[in-house]
Amino acid sequence: MTATPDERAALAKRFDLVSIDRLRAHFAIRREAAGITARGRVEADLVQACSVTGEPVTTHVDEAAELLFVPEQEDAGDEVELSADALDSVPYTGDRIDLGEAAAETMALALDPFPRSPGAAAALREAGVLTEEEAKPLGPLAGLRDKLEGR
């Protein structure tokens, strides 16, 4: 399935993206005892705003998706312990699952929450923000370094 221009524009607005130039997903669907499994890939080309400068950052998403659609229950009751290889569960109501929404959410979860443009480091430096290395605390030994260096 491929998202239409109108669908991509709506998703870009929903996920606060500059644009989504392409969004495509393909799934293999299978009914199983636990529910309906959907396994496939979500691919997208999009533009995010740099979290520092606001400049456009081109992003490519190519994400595997493995989902288990289960009928929505009013009261799930006790917590359930999941194994490491358990699929993400997606509740659904009625007699249909929404693969478009699954593709959109898979794309959104694959995005860098703090995208950086090539000019981001310089903008941060100019604003006086320290790098992680510069800000790295030495804990209880911080004063010892200065004493050893004769400061």
Side-chain angles (χ1 to χ4, degrees), residues 129-143 145-146 151:
V129 177
L130 299 176
T131 65
E132 286 183 28
E133 190 59 39
E134 293 168 334
K136 188 175 181 180
L138 296 176
L141 301 177
R145 182 183 72 179
D146 291 342
R151 294 184 191 171

Side-chain angles (χ1 to χ4, degrees), residues 42-55:
V42 174
E43 299 174 52
D45 293 311
L46 53 96
V47 180
Q48 294 178 269
C50 172
S51 61
V52 176
T53 66
E55 295 172 341

Side-chain angles (χ1 to χ4, degrees), residues 19 22 24 28 30 32 39 50 52 58 62 64-65 90 95-96 123 126-127 131 141 144-145 149:
S19 67
R22 182 178 70 91
R24 182 171 173 244
R30 183 177 174 161
E32 297 184 6
R39 289 182 168 88
C50 172
V52 176
T58 302
D62 185 359
V90 180
D95 60 353
R96 296 180 184 188
E126 186 176 307
T131 65
L141 301 177
L144 181 58
R145 182 183 72 179
E149 292 178 357

Side-chain angles (χ1 to χ4, degrees), residues 6-141:
D6 288 343
E7 290 167 334
R8 293 192 319 264
L11 289 171
K13 183 176 181 179
R14 175 179 165 192
F15 295 121
D16 197 24
L17 302 170
V18 175
S19 67
I20 300 175
D21 302 319
R22 182 178 70 91
L23 174 57
R24 182 171 173 244
H26 61 274
F27 293 99
I29 309 300
R30 183 177 174 161
R31 182 173 290 279
E32 297 184 6
I36 300 168
T37 60
R39 289 182 168 88
R41 275 207 113 54
V42 174
E43 299 174 52
D45 293 311
L46 53 96
V47 180
Q48 294 178 269
C50 172
S51 61
V52 176
T53 66
E55 295 172 341
V57 178
T58 302
T59 304
H60 176 74
V61 171
D62 185 359
E63 192 73 14
E66 295 188 18
L67 305 167
L68 174 64
F69 289 88
V70 293
E72 187 171 53
Q73 299 174 357
E74 287 187 29
D75 183 13
D78 298 332
E79 288 185 25
V80 177
E81 190 72 29
L82 298 176
S83 65
D85 61 343
L87 301 180
D88 289 334
S89 293
V90 180
Y92 71 94
T93 57
D95 60 353
R96 296 180 184 188
I97 59 174
D98 190 346
L99 293 175
E101 180 63 19
E105 290 179 8
T106 299
M107 176 202 70
L109 289 170
L111 296 176
D112 181 349
F114 302 105
R116 298 263 177 109
S117 67
L124 288 170
R125 214 173 10 264
E126 186 176 307
V129 177
L130 299 176
T131 65
E132 286 183 28
E133 190 59 39
E134 293 168 334
K136 188 175 181 180
L138 296 176
L141 301 177

